[in-house]
Amino acid sequence: MKIEIKDKMAMNVSFTLKDLTRLGVSKSQIWLGTTIYGTRVRIYTHLLIEPCLWLKNSSRGNGGMALEDASLGQVNLKECKAINKRLKEIIGFCQDYADAVTKNTLHDEALEHSAENFKTFIYAKIDGKDEKRQLDVEDYIGNYIQTKCSMLNKDTKRQLSKGTIYNHRNSLRRLQQFCKEKRIKLTWKLFDRKFETKFTEWLCSQSYSANTIACQYSVMKVWLTEAETDNLITDKAFHKYPTKVYNVENIYLTEEEIQRLYDIDFKSDEVQKELGYQISKGGKYEQSRDLFVLACWTGLRFHDWHNIMAVADFTDDYMTVHTHKTNKEVIIPLHPMVKAIVKKYDGNLPRSGDKTACLKHIRECGRIAHIDEATSLCRVRGGKSVINRGAKYEFICNHTARRSFCTNMYLKGVPTISVMAISGHTSEENFLKYIKVDRKQHADIVARAFK
Protein backbone atom coordinates (compact mmCIF):
# COMPACT_ATOMS: atom_id res chain seq x y z
CA MET A 1 0.00 0.00 0.00
CA LYS A 2 1.23 3.51 -0.78
CA ILE A 3 1.42 6.14 1.96
CA GLU A 4 1.83 9.66 0.54
CA ILE A 5 4.64 11.73 2.07
CA LYS A 6 4.74 15.49 1.43
CA ASP A 7 2.84 15.06 -1.84
CA LYS A 8 6.19 14.37 -3.50
CA MET A 9 6.79 10.71 -2.79
CA ALA A 10 5.05 7.58 -1.58
CA MET A 11 6.23 5.04 0.97
CA ASN A 12 5.20 1.48 0.11
CA VAL A 13 4.22 -0.59 3.13
CA SER A 14 3.23 -4.24 3.19
CA PHE A 15 2.56 -7.12 5.58
CA THR A 16 4.57 -10.34 5.42
CA LEU A 17 4.91 -13.49 7.52
CA LYS A 18 7.91 -14.70 9.50
CA ASP A 19 8.05 -18.46 9.83
CA LEU A 20 8.51 -19.84 13.37
CA THR A 21 8.45 -23.60 12.65
CA ARG A 22 12.12 -23.91 13.57
CA LEU A 23 11.10 -22.80 17.05
CA GLY A 24 8.35 -25.40 17.16
CA VAL A 25 5.58 -22.81 16.68
CA SER A 26 2.95 -23.53 14.05
CA LYS A 27 1.78 -19.96 13.65
CA SER A 28 3.78 -17.25 11.88
CA GLN A 29 4.38 -13.68 12.95
CA ILE A 30 2.90 -10.83 10.89
CA TRP A 31 5.42 -8.07 10.17
CA LEU A 32 5.02 -4.60 8.68
CA GLY A 33 7.74 -3.74 6.19
CA THR A 34 8.94 -0.79 4.12
CA THR A 35 12.13 0.80 2.80
CA ILE A 36 13.11 4.36 3.72
CA TYR A 37 16.07 5.97 1.96
CA GLY A 38 17.55 2.55 1.21
CA THR A 39 17.10 1.23 4.75
CA ARG A 40 14.82 -1.75 5.17
CA VAL A 41 12.44 -1.36 8.13
CA ARG A 42 10.56 -4.30 9.61
CA ILE A 43 8.15 -3.97 12.55
CA TYR A 44 6.48 -6.81 14.41
CA THR A 45 2.72 -6.23 14.62
CA HIS A 46 2.31 -8.50 17.67
CA LEU A 47 -0.05 -10.62 15.56
CA LEU A 48 0.20 -14.37 14.83
CA ILE A 49 -1.61 -16.40 12.15
CA GLU A 50 -1.66 -19.88 10.66
CA PRO A 51 0.17 -19.66 7.30
CA CYS A 52 -2.74 -21.42 5.61
CA LEU A 53 -5.02 -18.54 6.58
CA TRP A 54 -2.78 -15.90 4.98
CA LEU A 55 -3.31 -14.34 1.55
CA LYS A 56 -0.03 -13.00 0.16
CA ASN A 57 -1.35 -10.87 -2.67
CA SER A 58 -4.23 -8.84 -1.27
CA SER A 59 -6.70 -7.28 -3.66
CA ARG A 60 -6.86 -4.36 -1.20
CA GLY A 61 -3.26 -3.54 -2.00
CA ASN A 62 -2.05 -4.10 1.55
CA GLY A 63 0.60 -6.61 0.50
CA GLY A 64 -0.92 -9.40 2.55
CA MET A 65 -3.99 -10.02 4.69
CA ALA A 66 -5.88 -12.78 6.43
CA LEU A 67 -8.39 -14.81 4.46
CA GLU A 68 -12.03 -14.06 5.14
CA ASP A 69 -13.80 -17.15 3.84
CA ALA A 70 -16.85 -18.73 5.48
CA SER A 71 -15.62 -22.17 4.45
CA LEU A 72 -12.80 -21.83 6.99
CA GLY A 73 -15.28 -22.19 9.84
CA GLN A 74 -16.66 -19.65 12.28
CA VAL A 75 -13.68 -19.74 14.65
CA ASN A 76 -11.08 -19.12 11.93
CA LEU A 77 -13.28 -16.56 10.19
CA LYS A 78 -13.70 -14.56 13.40
CA GLU A 79 -9.95 -14.67 14.05
CA CYS A 80 -9.13 -13.54 10.50
CA LYS A 81 -11.56 -10.65 10.65
CA ALA A 82 -10.01 -9.51 13.94
CA ILE A 83 -6.52 -9.68 12.40
CA ASN A 84 -7.56 -7.67 9.34
CA LYS A 85 -9.21 -5.07 11.54
CA ARG A 86 -5.96 -4.66 13.44
CA LEU A 87 -3.94 -4.51 10.21
CA LYS A 88 -6.23 -1.75 9.01
CA GLU A 89 -5.53 0.17 12.22
CA ILE A 90 -1.78 -0.24 11.67
CA ILE A 91 -2.15 1.18 8.16
CA GLY A 92 -3.86 4.11 9.87
CA PHE A 93 -0.79 4.47 12.12
CA CYS A 94 1.32 4.69 8.96
CA GLN A 95 -0.92 7.46 7.69
CA ASP A 96 -0.56 9.20 11.06
CA TYR A 97 3.19 9.03 10.55
CA ALA A 98 2.84 10.61 7.11
CA ASP A 99 0.77 13.40 8.68
CA ALA A 100 3.43 13.92 11.36
CA VAL A 101 6.12 14.17 8.69
CA THR A 102 4.17 16.73 6.67
CA LYS A 103 2.93 18.73 9.70
CA ASN A 104 4.45 22.18 9.91
CA THR A 105 2.38 24.51 12.04
CA LEU A 106 3.16 27.24 14.53
CA HIS A 107 3.29 24.85 17.48
CA ASP A 108 4.14 21.47 15.92
CA GLU A 109 7.34 20.94 13.98
CA ALA A 110 7.34 18.33 11.24
CA LEU A 111 8.84 14.95 12.14
CA GLU A 112 11.93 14.08 10.12
CA HIS A 113 11.26 11.25 7.65
CA SER A 114 13.73 8.51 8.57
CA ALA A 115 13.82 4.76 9.17
CA GLU A 116 14.46 5.19 12.88
CA ASN A 117 11.67 7.75 13.37
CA PHE A 118 9.19 5.58 11.46
CA LYS A 119 10.09 2.55 13.57
CA THR A 120 9.81 4.47 16.86
CA PHE A 121 6.54 6.10 15.84
CA ILE A 122 4.78 2.91 14.72
CA TYR A 123 5.98 0.82 17.66
CA ALA A 124 4.68 3.50 20.05
CA LYS A 125 1.28 3.32 18.34
CA ILE A 126 1.17 -0.48 18.27
CA ASP A 127 2.18 -0.69 21.92
CA GLY A 128 -0.46 1.91 22.83
CA LYS A 129 2.25 4.24 24.09
CA ASP A 130 1.96 7.18 21.75
CA GLU A 131 3.04 10.37 23.49
CA LYS A 132 -0.34 11.87 24.39
CA ARG A 133 -1.64 8.62 25.85
CA GLN A 134 1.47 8.20 27.98
CA LEU A 135 0.59 11.40 29.80
CA ASP A 136 -1.79 11.38 32.73
CA VAL A 137 -4.34 14.15 33.04
CA GLU A 138 -2.10 16.49 35.03
CA ASP A 139 0.83 16.07 32.63
CA TYR A 140 -1.44 16.51 29.61
CA ILE A 141 -2.93 19.74 30.96
CA GLY A 142 0.50 20.94 32.12
CA ASN A 143 1.92 20.39 28.64
CA TYR A 144 -1.04 22.19 27.11
CA ILE A 145 -0.52 25.20 29.39
CA GLN A 146 3.17 25.24 28.51
CA THR A 147 2.21 25.23 24.82
CA LYS A 148 -0.12 28.19 25.39
CA CYS A 149 2.87 30.24 26.50
CA SER A 150 3.90 30.46 22.84
CA MET A 151 0.42 30.54 21.32
CA LEU A 152 -1.01 33.62 19.63
CA ASN A 153 -4.25 35.40 20.43
CA LYS A 154 -6.61 34.80 17.49
CA ASP A 155 -7.72 38.44 17.44
CA THR A 156 -4.54 40.40 18.21
CA LYS A 157 -2.04 37.90 16.69
CA ARG A 158 0.13 38.47 19.77
CA GLN A 159 1.35 36.01 22.33
CA LEU A 160 -1.19 35.30 25.05
CA SER A 161 -0.86 37.53 28.10
CA LYS A 162 0.75 36.42 31.33
CA GLY A 163 -2.66 36.82 32.95
CA THR A 164 -4.17 34.18 30.67
CA ILE A 165 -1.37 31.72 31.43
CA TYR A 166 -1.73 32.49 35.15
CA ASN A 167 -5.46 31.72 35.00
CA HIS A 168 -4.76 28.33 33.42
CA ARG A 169 -2.15 27.40 36.01
CA ASN A 170 -4.35 28.59 38.85
CA SER A 171 -7.29 26.56 37.51
CA LEU A 172 -5.15 23.43 37.38
CA ARG A 173 -4.00 24.06 40.96
CA ARG A 174 -7.62 24.28 42.16
CA LEU A 175 -8.52 21.05 40.38
CA GLN A 176 -5.55 19.27 41.93
CA GLN A 177 -6.47 20.59 45.38
CA PHE A 178 -10.06 19.36 44.94
CA CYS A 179 -8.91 15.85 44.00
CA LYS A 180 -6.43 15.75 46.87
CA GLU A 181 -8.96 16.82 49.51
CA LYS A 182 -11.67 14.51 48.16
CA ARG A 183 -9.18 11.67 47.62
CA ILE A 184 -10.28 11.34 44.01
CA LYS A 185 -7.97 10.11 41.29
CA LEU A 186 -7.64 12.67 38.51
CA THR A 187 -8.52 10.77 35.33
CA TRP A 188 -10.47 11.66 32.20
CA LYS A 189 -13.42 9.63 33.52
CA LEU A 190 -13.80 12.14 36.34
CA PHE A 191 -15.39 14.73 34.04
CA ASP A 192 -18.87 13.26 33.83
CA ARG A 193 -22.27 14.85 34.54
CA LYS A 194 -21.85 14.33 38.31
CA PHE A 195 -18.52 16.15 38.43
CA GLU A 196 -20.04 19.63 38.08
CA THR A 197 -22.18 19.24 41.21
CA LYS A 198 -19.32 17.90 43.35
CA PHE A 199 -16.76 20.41 42.12
CA THR A 200 -19.10 23.40 42.44
CA GLU A 201 -19.96 22.41 46.02
CA TRP A 202 -16.26 22.25 46.85
CA LEU A 203 -15.51 25.60 45.17
CA CYS A 204 -18.31 27.20 47.17
CA SER A 205 -16.93 25.67 50.37
CA GLN A 206 -13.65 27.45 49.58
CA SER A 207 -15.54 30.78 49.35
CA TYR A 208 -14.68 31.39 45.71
CA SER A 209 -16.74 34.08 43.99
CA ALA A 210 -19.35 33.26 41.35
CA ASN A 211 -17.14 34.73 38.62
CA THR A 212 -14.08 32.80 39.78
CA ILE A 213 -16.12 29.59 39.55
CA ALA A 214 -17.34 30.53 36.07
CA CYS A 215 -13.75 31.28 35.02
CA GLN A 216 -12.62 27.91 36.42
CA TYR A 217 -15.12 26.03 34.26
CA SER A 218 -14.35 28.18 31.23
CA VAL A 219 -10.65 27.32 31.42
CA MET A 220 -11.35 23.64 32.07
CA LYS A 221 -13.58 23.46 28.99
CA VAL A 222 -10.61 24.57 26.89
CA TRP A 223 -8.53 21.64 28.21
CA LEU A 224 -11.34 19.12 27.85
CA THR A 225 -12.15 20.21 24.30
CA GLU A 226 -8.49 19.65 23.41
CA ALA A 227 -8.57 16.23 25.10
CA GLU A 228 -11.77 15.38 23.24
CA THR A 229 -10.01 16.19 19.95
CA ASP A 230 -7.26 13.75 20.94
CA ASN A 231 -9.88 11.07 21.73
CA LEU A 232 -8.91 11.05 25.40
CA ILE A 233 -12.39 11.93 26.64
CA THR A 234 -15.70 10.75 25.24
CA ASP A 235 -18.23 11.99 27.82
CA LYS A 236 -19.91 15.14 26.43
CA ALA A 237 -21.08 16.39 29.85
CA PHE A 238 -18.33 19.00 30.10
CA HIS A 239 -19.86 21.00 27.23
CA LYS A 240 -22.64 22.06 29.63
CA TYR A 241 -20.37 23.26 32.43
CA PRO A 242 -21.46 26.81 33.51
CA THR A 243 -19.25 29.67 32.26
CA LYS A 244 -21.53 32.71 32.55
CA VAL A 245 -19.93 35.60 34.44
CA TYR A 246 -21.86 38.18 36.42
CA ASN A 247 -21.52 41.93 36.71
CA VAL A 248 -20.16 42.79 40.15
CA GLU A 249 -20.22 45.93 42.24
CA ASN A 250 -17.13 48.12 42.04
CA ILE A 251 -16.34 51.70 42.90
CA TYR A 252 -15.24 54.62 40.77
CA LEU A 253 -13.64 57.89 41.82
CA THR A 254 -15.46 61.14 41.24
CA GLU A 255 -13.73 64.08 39.61
CA GLU A 256 -13.49 65.74 43.02
CA GLU A 257 -11.80 62.63 44.52
CA ILE A 258 -9.35 62.44 41.63
CA GLN A 259 -8.54 66.10 42.26
CA ARG A 260 -7.84 65.32 45.93
CA LEU A 261 -5.44 62.56 44.91
CA TYR A 262 -3.73 64.92 42.48
CA ASP A 263 -3.40 67.65 45.12
CA ILE A 264 -1.38 65.50 47.57
CA ASP A 265 1.86 67.31 48.37
CA PHE A 266 4.46 64.64 49.07
CA LYS A 267 6.84 67.25 50.51
CA SER A 268 4.38 68.46 53.14
CA ASP A 269 4.98 67.68 56.80
CA GLU A 270 1.73 65.72 57.02
CA VAL A 271 2.58 63.41 54.12
CA GLN A 272 6.19 63.06 55.21
CA LYS A 273 4.97 61.98 58.62
CA GLU A 274 2.70 59.39 57.02
CA LEU A 275 4.92 58.10 54.24
CA GLY A 276 8.40 59.50 54.81
CA TYR A 277 9.91 56.22 55.96
CA GLN A 278 8.36 54.22 53.13
CA ILE A 279 9.46 56.79 50.55
CA SER A 280 13.02 56.79 51.94
CA LYS A 281 13.07 53.01 51.50
CA GLY A 282 12.28 53.38 47.80
CA GLY A 283 8.49 53.50 47.87
CA LYS A 284 7.40 55.23 44.65
CA TYR A 285 4.16 56.64 46.03
CA GLU A 286 4.23 59.86 44.03
CA GLN A 287 4.96 58.12 40.72
CA SER A 288 2.19 55.58 41.33
CA ARG A 289 -0.23 58.40 42.19
CA ASP A 290 0.69 60.34 39.04
CA LEU A 291 0.26 57.35 36.74
CA PHE A 292 -3.02 56.40 38.38
CA VAL A 293 -4.40 59.93 37.94
CA LEU A 294 -3.25 59.84 34.31
CA ALA A 295 -5.20 56.59 33.89
CA CYS A 296 -8.28 58.18 35.47
CA TRP A 297 -8.33 60.73 32.61
CA THR A 298 -7.32 58.36 29.78
CA GLY A 299 -9.18 55.11 30.54
CA LEU A 300 -6.06 53.00 30.01
CA ARG A 301 -5.63 49.52 31.44
CA PHE A 302 -2.84 48.87 33.95
CA HIS A 303 -0.83 46.94 31.36
CA ASP A 304 -0.68 50.11 29.26
CA TRP A 305 -0.29 52.83 31.88
CA HIS A 306 2.23 51.16 34.20
CA ASN A 307 4.89 51.64 31.46
CA ILE A 308 3.22 54.34 29.42
CA MET A 309 6.31 55.47 27.49
CA ALA A 310 6.58 52.05 25.84
CA VAL A 311 3.17 52.36 24.17
CA ALA A 312 2.35 56.07 23.86
CA ASP A 313 3.34 59.02 21.72
CA PHE A 314 2.54 62.52 22.98
CA THR A 315 1.74 65.78 21.22
CA ASP A 316 0.70 69.02 22.89
CA ASP A 317 -2.97 68.07 23.13
CA TYR A 318 -3.23 64.33 22.41
CA MET A 319 -1.63 61.00 23.13
CA THR A 320 -1.68 58.03 20.76
CA VAL A 321 -1.55 54.64 22.46
CA HIS A 322 -1.18 51.20 20.91
CA THR A 323 -3.12 49.12 23.43
CA HIS A 324 -1.75 45.73 24.41
CA LYS A 325 -4.95 43.76 24.98
CA THR A 326 -6.80 44.64 21.77
CA ASN A 327 -3.78 45.53 19.61
CA LYS A 328 -5.59 48.71 18.54
CA GLU A 329 -4.47 52.31 18.32
CA VAL A 330 -6.48 54.89 20.25
CA ILE A 331 -6.17 58.69 20.25
CA ILE A 332 -6.84 60.33 23.62
CA PRO A 333 -7.15 64.07 24.31
CA LEU A 334 -5.01 65.27 27.21
CA HIS A 335 -6.84 66.49 30.30
CA PRO A 336 -5.14 69.47 32.02
CA MET A 337 -4.03 67.16 34.87
CA VAL A 338 -2.42 64.80 32.35
CA LYS A 339 -0.66 67.69 30.63
CA ALA A 340 0.70 68.86 33.97
CA ILE A 341 1.93 65.35 34.83
CA VAL A 342 3.67 64.97 31.46
CA LYS A 343 5.31 68.38 31.90
CA LYS A 344 6.36 67.47 35.46
CA TYR A 345 8.49 64.60 34.10
CA ASP A 346 9.72 66.54 31.05
CA GLY A 347 7.83 64.22 28.74
CA ASN A 348 9.50 61.09 30.10
CA LEU A 349 6.96 59.49 32.44
CA PRO A 350 8.23 56.92 34.96
CA ARG A 351 7.37 53.26 35.09
CA SER A 352 5.31 52.01 38.03
CA GLY A 353 6.10 49.04 40.22
CA ASP A 354 4.25 45.74 39.92
CA LYS A 355 0.49 45.55 40.42
CA THR A 356 0.67 44.72 44.11
CA ALA A 357 3.13 47.48 45.02
CA CYS A 358 1.32 50.03 42.88
CA LEU A 359 -2.05 49.19 44.45
CA LYS A 360 -0.58 49.54 47.94
CA HIS A 361 0.72 53.00 47.04
CA ILE A 362 -2.58 54.15 45.53
CA ARG A 363 -4.68 53.00 48.49
CA GLU A 364 -2.33 54.79 50.88
CA CYS A 365 -2.69 57.91 48.77
CA GLY A 366 -6.47 57.46 48.87
CA ARG A 367 -6.31 57.35 52.67
CA ILE A 368 -4.18 60.49 52.85
CA ALA A 369 -6.55 62.24 50.41
CA HIS A 370 -9.44 61.34 52.75
CA ILE A 371 -11.29 59.25 50.20
CA ASP A 372 -12.81 57.51 53.18
CA GLU A 373 -16.54 57.62 52.59
CA ALA A 374 -18.23 54.60 54.22
CA THR A 375 -18.71 52.06 51.43
CA SER A 376 -20.26 48.62 51.17
CA LEU A 377 -20.00 46.25 48.22
CA CYS A 378 -21.90 43.01 47.78
CA ARG A 379 -20.13 39.93 46.47
CA VAL A 380 -21.33 36.38 45.88
CA ARG A 381 -18.88 34.03 47.56
CA GLY A 382 -19.39 30.37 48.30
CA GLY A 383 -22.87 30.65 46.81
CA LYS A 384 -23.85 33.31 49.37
CA SER A 385 -24.11 37.10 49.24
CA VAL A 386 -21.38 38.70 51.32
CA ILE A 387 -21.36 42.42 52.10
CA ASN A 388 -17.92 43.98 52.55
CA ARG A 389 -17.83 47.30 54.41
CA GLY A 390 -15.00 49.77 54.76
CA ALA A 391 -13.60 53.15 53.78
CA LYS A 392 -13.84 53.82 50.07
CA TYR A 393 -10.06 53.90 49.52
CA GLU A 394 -9.88 50.27 50.72
CA PHE A 395 -11.84 49.23 47.62
CA ILE A 396 -9.65 51.06 45.11
CA CYS A 397 -8.09 48.72 42.53
CA ASN A 398 -5.70 49.40 39.65
CA HIS A 399 -8.68 49.01 37.32
CA THR A 400 -10.63 51.67 39.25
CA ALA A 401 -8.92 54.30 37.10
CA ARG A 402 -10.46 52.88 33.92
CA ARG A 403 -13.91 52.62 35.52
CA SER A 404 -13.59 56.20 36.76
CA PHE A 405 -12.82 57.50 33.28
CA CYS A 406 -15.77 55.71 31.66
CA THR A 407 -18.21 56.71 34.40
CA ASN A 408 -17.17 60.36 34.62
CA MET A 409 -17.32 60.79 30.83
CA TYR A 410 -20.77 59.18 30.83
CA LEU A 411 -21.97 61.53 33.57
CA LYS A 412 -20.64 64.50 31.58
CA GLY A 413 -22.88 63.47 28.71
CA VAL A 414 -20.12 62.43 26.33
CA PRO A 415 -21.65 60.12 23.67
CA THR A 416 -21.06 56.46 24.47
CA ILE A 417 -19.56 55.80 21.05
CA SER A 418 -16.92 58.50 21.66
CA VAL A 419 -15.98 57.18 25.09
CA MET A 420 -15.73 53.65 23.66
CA ALA A 421 -13.42 54.92 20.90
CA ILE A 422 -11.01 56.03 23.62
CA SER A 423 -11.50 53.21 26.12
CA GLY A 424 -11.18 50.62 23.35
CA HIS A 425 -14.36 48.72 24.25
CA THR A 426 -15.66 46.76 21.28
CA SER A 427 -19.25 46.32 22.50
CA GLU A 428 -21.65 48.61 24.33
CA GLU A 429 -22.63 45.71 26.60
CA ASN A 430 -19.09 45.40 27.96
CA PHE A 431 -18.71 49.17 28.15
CA LEU A 432 -21.83 49.58 30.26
CA LYS A 433 -20.40 47.17 32.83
CA TYR A 434 -17.85 49.89 33.59
CA ILE A 435 -20.47 52.55 34.27
CA LYS A 436 -20.81 52.76 38.07
CA VAL A 437 -23.83 55.02 38.42
CA ASP A 438 -26.38 54.69 41.24
CA ARG A 439 -30.14 55.22 40.96
CA LYS A 440 -29.96 58.86 42.10
CA GLN A 441 -27.36 59.71 39.47
CA HIS A 442 -29.48 58.09 36.77
CA ALA A 443 -32.43 60.17 37.94
CA ASP A 444 -30.32 63.34 37.79
CA ILE A 445 -29.24 62.54 34.22
CA VAL A 446 -32.88 62.24 33.15
CA ALA A 447 -33.82 65.37 35.12
CA ARG A 448 -31.21 67.41 33.21
CA ALA A 449 -32.84 66.29 29.98
CA PHE A 450 -36.15 67.85 31.16
CA LYS A 451 -34.60 71.32 31.46
Side-chain angles (χ1 to χ4, degrees):
M1 180 179 180
K2 288 186 177 181
I3 304 294
E4 296 293 331
I5 303 290
K6 294 186 177 179
D7 298 324
K8 296 180 180 179
M9 59 176 288
M11 178 176 65
N12 291 313
V13 296
S14 61
F15 296 107
T16 57
L17 298 186
K18 180 177 180 180
D19 183 50
L20 299 177
T21 54
R22 63 185 179 84
L23 301 176
V25 179
S26 61
K27 289 186 176 182
S28 296
Q29 294 176 335
I30 303 177
W31 285 69
L32 172 70
T34 189
T35 300
I36 298 177
Y37 297 139
T39 301
R40 180 66 176 165
V41 181
R42 298 191 72 215
I43 297 172
Y44 178 37
T45 64
H46 297 177
L47 297 172
L48 296 170
I49 191 172
E50 295 283 353
C52 63
L53 300 177
W54 184 252
L55 180 63
K56 289 184 179 180
N57 298 316
S58 168
S59 59
R60 298 183 187 178
N62 292 346
M65 64 175 291
L67 289 170
E68 292 186 16
D69 191 332
S71 65
L72 299 174
Q74 290 297 317
V75 175
N76 286 334
L77 180 60
K78 184 177 180 180
E79 179 181 351
C80 289
K81 285 184 176 181
I83 289 174
N84 285 337
K85 181 179 179 180
R86 182 58 174 167
L87 294 180
K88 185 177 180 180
E89 291 177 350
I90 294 173
I91 290 297
F93 298 159
C94 295
Q95 190 60 58
D96 290 343
Y97 169 80
D99 293 340
V101 170
T102 58
K103 185 180 294 184
N104 187 14
T105 65
L106 179 65
H107 310 299
D108 296 290
E109 295 182 357
L111 180 68
E112 182 184 357
H113 181 42
S114 68
E116 187 61 33
N117 283 344
F118 176 75
K119 196 170 184 178
T120 301
F121 185 95
I122 300 301
Y123 263 134
K125 290 282 187 177
I126 290 175
D127 294 337
K129 296 179 181 179
D130 50 296
E131 182 179 355
K132 286 180 178 176
R133 291 187 181 277
Q134 281 189 46
L135 300 175
D136 61 19
V137 177
E138 293 182 42
D139 288 338
Y140 180 91
I141 295 173
N143 281 4
Y144 178 78
I145 294 172
Q146 189 61 38
T147 301
K148 285 190 79 71
C149 292
S150 59
M151 289 174 67
L152 301 182
N153 182 293
K154 293 180 181 179
D155 297 323
T156 66
K157 308 304 179 186
R158 291 181 171 185
Q159 283 192 329
L160 296 178
S161 68
K162 292 181 180 179
T164 299
I165 304 303
Y166 172 82
N167 286 339
H168 277 260
R169 288 177 174 156
N170 219 20
S171 296
L172 176 57
R173 179 190 59 77
R174 291 192 196 103
L175 180 60
Q176 291 169 326
Q177 185 181 352
F178 163 74
C179 291
K180 181 179 180 180
E181 291 188 12
K182 296 296 182 180
R183 297 182 179 180
I184 298 173
K185 186 175 182 180
L186 182 50
T187 67
W188 297 117
K189 292 182 180 180
L190 175 65
F191 303 102
D192 57 16
R193 62 185 181 84
K194 297 180 181 179
F195 170 77
E196 179 192 337
T197 301
K198 297 176 182 177
F199 192 43
T200 301
E201 287 178 352
W202 180 82
L203 289 169
C204 287
S205 73
Q206 303 298 305
S207 297
Y208 286 114
S209 70
N211 281 348
T212 298
I213 294 174
C215 178
Q216 175 75 31
Y217 280 116
S218 180
V219 171
M220 286 170 49
K221 285 175 78 169
V222 174
W223 307 335
L224 299 177
T225 299
E226 187 76 8
E228 183 182 44
T229 302
D230 290 328
N231 298 317
L232 298 174
I233 184 170
T234 57
D235 197 315
K236 306 294 183 181
F238 76 88
H239 288 288
K240 295 184 179 180
Y241 289 168
T243 57
K244 181 181 179 181
V245 295
Y246 302 89
N247 195 14
V248 297
E249 290 186 341
N250 285 294
I251 66 164
Y252 82 100
L253 299 186
T254 66
E255 292 187 52
E256 189 271 335
E257 288 169 333
I258 297 171
Q259 183 71 51
R260 272 190 268 160
L261 274 180
Y262 179 73
D263 288 339
I264 295 175
D265 181 3
F266 287 90
K267 295 180 180 179
S268 69
D269 292 340
E270 179 186 356
V271 175
Q272 285 294 317
K273 182 179 179 181
E274 295 280 354
L275 299 177
Y277 178 74
Q278 290 94 322
I279 293 174
S280 68
K281 297 292 287 185
K284 299 180 179 180
Y285 287 81
E286 186 170 4
Q287 292 93 322
S288 296
R289 185 277 313 268
D290 288 341
L291 291 172
F292 183 79
V293 169
L294 177 146
C296 286
W297 289 116
T298 58
L300 293 174
R301 299 176 180 86
F302 177 81
H303 199 288
D304 294 320
W305 63 259
H306 91 285
N307 187 20
I308 187 67
M309 299 309 297
V311 296
D313 293 313
F314 291 89
T315 63
D316 290 341
D317 297 308
Y318 296 91
M319 64 188 296
T320 302
V321 180
H322 201 87
T323 59
H324 180 271
K325 183 175 181 178
T326 60
N327 197 28
K328 291 183 178 180
E329 187 176 86
V330 296
I331 299 175
I332 307 171
L334 299 185
H335 185 274
M337 281 190 200
V338 177
K339 288 184 178 181
I341 291 170
V342 174
K343 183 178 180 181
K344 173 181 178 179
Y345 292 96
D346 294 325
N348 187 23
L349 293 166
R351 178 172 181 164
S352 77
D354 60 34
K355 277 188 174 183
T356 302
C358 191
L359 180 56
K360 175 186 175 183
H361 297 164
I362 294 166
R363 286 182 176 175
E364 276 293 283
C365 290
R367 182 180 64 81
I368 292 171
H370 302 292
I371 302 175
D372 50 13
E373 176 187 353
T375 303
S376 61
L377 297 181
C378 183
R379 294 281 192 274
V380 177
R381 289 192 175 276
K384 300 178 182 179
S385 294
V386 178
I387 298 178
N388 297 317
R389 295 181 174 86
K392 188 173 182 178
Y393 71 84
E394 296 175 353
F395 297 101
I396 294 177
C397 298
N398 292 315
H399 216 59
T400 300
R402 183 167 166 81
R403 293 192 191 95
S404 300
F405 171 79
C406 293
T407 303
N408 287 322
M409 293 301 101
Y410 177 83
L411 291 173
K412 280 179 170 291
V414 178
T416 300
I417 190 172
S418 297
V419 184
M420 288 174 59
I422 293 175
S423 66
H425 284 102
T426 55
S427 73
E428 190 170 15
E429 179 183 3
N430 285 332
F431 169 76
L432 291 176
K433 293 177 182 178
Y434 279 72
I435 304 304
K436 303 302 173 183
V437 178
D438 60 30
R439 288 189 292 272
K440 178 61 167 58
Q441 288 172 310
H442 278 301
D444 290 341
I445 291 171
V446 175
R448 286 199 298 270
F450 293 162
K451 296 178 181 179

